[in-house]
Amino acid sequence: MAEGVRVGATTKSTVPLVEVAITDDIDTAAVPALTATFTEILSLRPHRVVVDLAECRGLDAAGVGMLLDVHRRLWRDGALLTLRSPTPRLRRILDLARVGHVLHIAADDGETP
């Protein structure tokens, strides 16, 4: 599992929810390890993956591309990716990348998809 990532799964007979807290940058250097982590998570075939970005410090184009790839892989299986609590800086990056209409972004813990 990638450094700077905590994963918690809520499971029954299927995996309804996997929550991931990213505490480091999602950048070119981190993408290979994060991709491996998400591949492992997606092998559980979750119904929903929530990525908590509250402690994430940075996001570059490679990171946006990886999040879009995770979204596409989940969408194909009828599942949902939610980005939770992005900092104002990360929200601006996501807005500039024009992915807000593709990725589900929840402002805080209280918002549900």
Side-chain angles (χ1 to χ4, degrees):
M1 201 118 344
E3 187 175 323
V5 176
R6 295 185 315 263
V7 177
T10 304
T11 61
K12 292 184 183 174
S13 59
T14 62
V15 180
L17 173 65
V18 175
E19 294 188 31
V20 180
I22 299 186
T23 59
D24 267 332
D25 294 350
I26 305 174
D27 58 13
T28 303
V31 163
L34 287 170
T35 298
T37 299
F38 279 109
T39 297
E40 186 177 329
I41 289 167
L42 296 180
S43 73
L44 299 172
R45 307 197 59 76
H47 294 291
R48 183 170 166 221
V49 175
V50 176
V51 179
D52 188 327
L53 297 174
E55 295 181 40
C56 182
R57 300 178 310 226
L59 177 67
D60 69 7
V64 171
M66 184 216 51
L67 291 172
L68 286 169
D69 181 58
V70 171
H71 162 77
R72 283 193 276 301
R73 292 167 64 189
L74 284 164
W75 187 259
R76 276 193 308 246
D77 290 337
L80 176 67
L81 173 68
T82 299
L83 304 180
R84 182 174 59 204
S85 302
T87 63
R89 180 173 186 258
L90 292 186
R91 184 61 191 238
R92 176 139 171 83
I93 292 167
L94 293 166
D95 289 344
L96 288 171
R98 298 183 182 201
V99 297
H101 64 284
V102 175
L103 299 174
H104 181 261
I105 302 170
D108 59 29
D109 292 338
E111 186 174 332
T112 57

